[in-house]
Amino acid sequence: MMAQNRHAFRLRPGMRRGLRTEIPLPTRLVSNEEFPPLPQTAAQREVEHRILAEAGRLAPRLGLSRREFLRTSGGMATSLLAMNAVFGRFFDVLPVEAAEPAAAGDTRPGG
């Protein structure tokens, strides 16, 4: 039987749980509790929508749930591809890296 950790974080009265999301990259600003965050932009919403849609399409092909897929390197590649599609090409990532787990390291020097 494990002893309770008396130093563990607990939500106390007056506290609230922060933003929780499934996707590996944040698509909105969060507050530092000093100032309220800016609302999510249309472009940030589009990135989030693309990530979840693509993860929903690819996860069953790999035998994973959407949440499990988003925790893999394919989930990160999917996120970077969605950001490239909305904001322009900033990240050097190929679509095959999202769909094929073994392809994630093959395009890098030494990989």
Side-chain angles (χ1 to χ4, degrees), residues 39-100:
Q40 188 179 37
T41 66
Q44 291 168 332
R45 258 189 312 279
E46 177 65 20
V47 168
E48 190 171 331
H49 173 73
R50 285 175 180 258
I51 292 169
L52 294 174
E54 192 65 11
R57 186 181 71 82
L58 291 173
R61 291 181 181 182
L62 299 172
L64 301 170
S65 71
R66 185 173 72 178
R67 176 174 281 185
E68 290 168 334
F69 173 76
L70 287 169
R71 290 181 180 167
T72 67
S73 60
M76 182 57 87
T78 298
S79 300
L80 297 175
L81 287 166
M83 290 180 70
N84 279 350
V86 173
F87 297 114
R89 186 163 168 80
F90 292 102
F91 302 102
D92 184 23
V93 62
L94 301 171
V96 70
E97 293 178 69
E100 182 59 45

